[in-house]
């Protein structure tokens, strides 16, 4: 069961996913989105592929399901992490596929919780935090990455304030993050993406925290379009810029941002709103869903294991060492 | 007669303005917008105030009309320039008010034409130009400021390309600039505001040109929200950043951007789209209509008299010297 996030915050619709094809459509058409939630959904999609395999065709069903899930969206690393893990477990038995899918979902919640605790260390009482897109409980199985430290700080009584970028073209900030933080009783103000620099210039931002879709081994980080520009503005105004991500989002096989595929989405996301046209017919668009923030603009990456500081090339490796 | 720009590019509605109150409402509610067009509309608003004054009450009607027009929007300097000029002329006779209003409108077209010619000198064949908001013929009596050099370059066969930022929250880029350039047969691609940095980072922008609402005597420039961030990104990626403005937009009485009043507009511009809600009910917003680009981020200011380069504090003065 998923929440169809396309109608939020106006309608709260629970949708059953009954087949691997349902899971593929839910990811591709963004009923679910957010790195962790894409991973968890893909894991359960693999479970459905395994559970519904014809007798004797478990391996083929898992391979086919994995291949097709992998094509549903290209950027978030959690997707490929999940399909790979459940493929391997499912090849032992269909029951193992379910166990593995459940483990991925449970680990996502545990990771989010730990990120909340580490990230909370970076937040001082009264901090005014800026975030982009949605990396809260709607983007993960629970709590989220960028918003998890915010929830934790709020619960601990730090009286924080949050600027939310609306995050065009799909308005995940205005629709989802605003909804999450407002519901949690956190002091939040919505701005357009192009106002981010203004609130920074007025000295009204103490830290920027965003989630991400994939971190390369050198620290270059793909996240929702607009994040890179935000990192340049934060640098210009000397504001710390934090990325929050669990290790399944970190892709040590990508040597830099150059190796991260960036999805380009349909023009209608930009030229129309709920079917009403904004821009004139016939206008060309460029609509990348993500951009890459260079490692040099990132103050620290908050993971479930620890806070990683530069040099990322060296320090990200330590996350994957057996201690 | 004005074009009600709120319905563009989907409906092209000509609206008569019959009283000074009509002119005030048209400016305040943004049937017309853009520095030059606000000025021209205010000029004709003053003419209407004068023409409809009760016998013997010309001076009072002009003073009252001017005071109320001045309150319709706070940032564009052309508004105050126009009300002041027509007030002074109108105090001689109502006919003089009309002559002065016509002169302001004609000067606007002449200035736009000259800005097109000077700005064209900065554009090389094949240039990929980025612009923000709308400073084309819809924002002025004709041609515009930022777009006038683009029209001129296009006519001279330079095969230019234009990136248009959609310009939230009112989408003047997506609705108006896209419409203008597409209609003129210019190669144009629409992006969201938060994608501006990405196209710059890929080396796909040769120059940024925007219009503006007010230039202070030190070169600090108020323009549509998002322009300041764009100037920081352009600086980061070493891209020339040009402002186009006629002298009526230059306010030598403002010593810096600190002296320019910045309008804040209604939350609904951001939280709704054509009456449909985007953000949750109860969300707070911050919605400044303009921001101030520091003079240090501006490569040159293209005026109707010449191209002004830094140091602006010294060089803007030369525009107002009697030669």
């Amino acid at each position: 069961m998923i929440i169809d996030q396309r109608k939020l915050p106006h309608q709260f619709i629970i949708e059953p996913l009954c087949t691997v094809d349902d899971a593929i459509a839910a990811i591709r058409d963004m009923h679910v989105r957010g790195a962790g939630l894409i991973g968890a959904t893909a894991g359960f999609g693999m479970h459905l592929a395994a559970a519904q395999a014809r007798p004797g065709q478990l391996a083929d069903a898992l391979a086919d399901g994995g291949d097709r899930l992998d094509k549903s969206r290209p950027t978030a690393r959690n997707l490929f992490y999940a399909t790979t893990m459940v493929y391997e477990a499912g090849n032992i038995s269909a029951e193992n596929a379910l166990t593995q899918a459940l483990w991925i979902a449970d680990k996502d919640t545990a990771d989010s919780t730990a990120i909340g605790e580490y990230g909370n260390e970076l937040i001082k009482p009264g901090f005014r935090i800026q975030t982009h897109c949605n990396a809260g409980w709607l983007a993960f199985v629970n709590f989220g990455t960028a918003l998890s430290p915010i929830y934790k700080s709020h619960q601990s009584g730090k009286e924080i304030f949050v600027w939310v970028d609306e995050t065009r073209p799909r308005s995940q900030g205005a629709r989802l993050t605003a909804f999450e933080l407002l519901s949690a009783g956190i002091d939040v103000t919505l701005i357009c993406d192009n106002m981010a620099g203004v609130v920074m210039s007025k000295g009204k931002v103490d830290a920027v925290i965003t989630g991400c879709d994939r971190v390369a081994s050198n620290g270059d980080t793909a996240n929702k379009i607009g994040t890179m520009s935000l990192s340049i503005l934060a640098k210009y105004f000397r504001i710390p810029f934090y990325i929050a991500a669990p290790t399944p989002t970190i892709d040590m096989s990508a040597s830099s941002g150059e190796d991260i595929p960036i999805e380009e989405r349909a023009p209608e996301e930009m030229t129309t709103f709920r079917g009403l046209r904004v821009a004139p017919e016939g206008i060309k668009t460029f609509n990348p869903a993500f951009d890459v923030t260079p490692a040099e603009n990132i103050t620290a990456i908050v993971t479930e294991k620890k806070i990683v500081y530069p040099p990322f090339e060296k320090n990200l490796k330590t996350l994957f060492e057996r201690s």
Side-chain angles (χ1 to χ4, degrees), chain A residues 90 98-99 155 169 183 218 238:
Chain A
L98 177 57
T99 304
Q155 283 158 12
S183 308
N218 72 342
R238 300 170 192 275

Side-chain angles (χ1 to χ4, degrees), chain A residues 50 58 62 86 88-99:
Chain A
L58 179 61
L62 280 165
V86 182
E88 285 169 12
N91 267 320
I92 299 167
S93 75
E95 291 70 30
N96 276 27
L98 177 57
T99 304

